[in-house]
Amino acid sequence: MAVVVVAVMVALAIFTATPVETVTVLPSADGHVGTVVVQRGEAQQVLHEAYATSRSGQTEVTRLSADEVQSTYGRALHALPALPATFLLYFVTGTDELTEESKLELNKVLTAMRARPLPDVLVIGHTDTVGDPAANDRLSAQRAETVKGFLAGIGIPVERIRTAGRGERELLVPTASNVDEPRNRRVEINVR
Amino acid sequence: MRASLAVILFSVSAAALAADAGEIKVVRGAAHIERGSERLPVKVGMPVQEADRVVTGIDGTVGITFADNSLLSIGPSSNFAIDHYVFDSTTHAGKFDSTLSKGTLAVVSGKMVKQSPDAMHVRTPSAVMGVRGTDFVVRVADH
């Protein structure tokens, strides 16, 4: 009788088996390790070390080896798109003209695009903290549009270019309000 | 007149909904996207949208770059849905919810999560994962 009960329980366990789910945090390309908070019903696990792993049905955080990650996730990881390549351009103060260094950067954008199968370009304008934030939003968007024009001029199709203006939200060099800081007046290009 | 206004309003909201969340950058093997009642073969350069479901075959993998530079890739024999995606390129505010119901997924989080740590969640049948600026992988296996 007991054998039958056990057999039925085993069969039930097999037929009602819930999927096995695992989550593993990986180090980023730059070595940084962030956090994933895994919530399963009432239970919460916080993964914040490289290769820390949460597995359904287990209360302990475990760890996968790099080899185990490769054998389970190798094909998915191989399909990750390349990290966006980032370039910074600066204008000659008070003009719409790029500095000499930035003109060279523009050529690097072309090189980065050739290395990708079907690249798109994001052009993001930034300002320093001089002036009011709303005006800086407009100014940063205008700067991005200007650079979009340059990129179109060197042969990049306009339908593959998007622009954004971040205003003074993302200062490269943190400053107080109303500080004239040339390194903050920049346009960032992401080739993706 | 009332009917035509409704049509206009509907088409405006449909256009707003159809804003691209990202773009397919990598495809290998068999994969398709379920969009409403359509079943579209996945191609490099194809836009992805909120409510799309990506389904890969036994040899299929797909890589997507999202508007906020989040990178996601879907392994073979997988089923992955973009439940919700909004991103403001000026403020970097947004929301990114997705579900892996089967298979494998690799994620490199992007600009949205840097701005607001609670903006990105990945669901599986039994869990919800909050993503705080990191690379990670997820697997939902039948056994």
Side-chain angles (χ1 to χ4, degrees):
Chain A
M1 186 61 192
V3 174
V4 173
V5 170
V6 169
V8 167
M9 285 173 68
V10 167
L12 274 177
I14 289 167
F15 286 116
T16 61
T18 47
V20 174
E21 300 175 11
T22 53
V23 187
T24 303
V25 166
L26 302 180
S28 305
D30 65 2
H32 169 82
V33 179
T35 301
V36 174
V37 179
V38 184
Q39 191 77 41
R40 275 199 188 84
E42 297 293 299
Q44 188 181 78
Q45 288 175 320
V46 180
L47 311 177
H48 51 67
E49 282 168 37
Y51 302 105
T53 299
S54 161
R55 195 178 162 91
S56 55
Q58 280 184 5
T59 50
E60 306 255 303
V61 172
T62 53
R63 200 172 282 264
L64 286 190
S65 69
D67 284 348
E68 286 168 320
V69 168
Q70 230 6 268
S71 68
T72 304
Y73 297 103
R75 296 189 65 187
L77 288 167
H78 188 53
L80 268 178
L83 282 171
T86 299
F87 304 90
L88 289 182
L89 305 181
Y90 294 90
F91 292 84
V92 175
T93 307
T95 73
D96 263 358
E97 197 189 330
L98 293 176
T99 62
E100 288 304 314
E101 293 89 346
S102 294
K103 286 178 188 165
L104 296 174
E105 274 307 279
L106 214 51
N107 290 328
K108 290 191 197 160
V109 171
L110 277 179
T111 310
M113 290 187 74
R114 286 193 200 102
R116 288 162 195 257
L118 190 57
D120 70 294
V121 182
L122 182 61
V123 183
I124 309 145
H126 300 274
T127 67
D128 62 19
T129 58
V130 175
D132 82 279
N136 281 335
D137 280 359
R138 288 192 295 276
L139 181 62
S140 62
Q142 281 164 14
R143 284 231 150 123
E145 286 298 324
T146 302
V147 169
K148 179 181 177 176
F150 294 156
L151 292 170
I154 58 173
I156 297 169
V158 283
E159 68 273 15
R160 302 298 294 164
I161 309 173
R162 276 183 226 212
T163 59
R166 288 275 280 153
E168 56 179 79
R169 291 175 187 76
E170 201 174 324
L171 302 175
L172 192 64
V173 180
T175 70
S177 199
N178 279 307
V179 174
D180 178 330
E181 172 50 69
R183 285 171 293 175
N184 285 333
R185 294 194 298 268
R186 69 205 193 273
V187 170
E188 176 188 343
I189 296 179
N190 293 166
V191 176
R192 315 191 287 186
Chain B
M1 188 59 201
R2 197 174 288 172
S4 62
L5 183 62
V7 167
I8 291 164
L9 287 176
F10 176 77
S11 50
V12 167
S13 64
L17 279 179
D20 297 346
E23 186 174 288
I24 303 286
K25 292 293 186 185
V26 179
V27 190
R28 297 188 185 93
H32 69 269
I33 285 180
E34 292 172 10
R35 181 175 296 164
S37 58
E38 288 183 296
R39 187 189 149 112
L40 312 163
V42 178
K43 295 194 180 87
V44 171
M46 181 178 175
V48 297
Q49 301 168 0
E50 188 172 285
D52 279 356
R53 179 177 291 279
V54 183
V55 182
T56 55
I58 197 164
D59 62 342
T61 55
V62 172
I64 306 169
T65 297
F66 283 82
D68 74 313
N69 284 355
S70 299
L71 311 176
L72 263 80
S73 59
I74 299 136
S77 304
S78 300
N79 193 313
F80 171 78
I82 302 163
D83 303 317
H84 199 55
Y85 188 93
V86 277
F87 177 63
D88 182 322
S89 63
T90 297
T91 63
H92 285 187
K95 194 150 183 54
F96 187 2
D97 292 324
S98 63
T99 301
L100 181 72
S101 38
K102 187 181 146 207
T104 52
L105 174 72
V107 179
V108 176
S109 67
K111 295 176 178 177
M112 191 193 296
V113 167
K114 275 193 194 129
Q115 171 66 34
S116 30
D118 285 325
M120 185 178 187
H121 291 93
V122 177
R123 286 178 169 75
T124 58
S126 78
V128 182
M129 281 148 269
V131 183
R132 312 269 161 83
T134 193
D135 293 15
F136 67 103
V137 285
V138 187
R139 177 173 186 238
V140 178
D142 297 330
H143 49 84

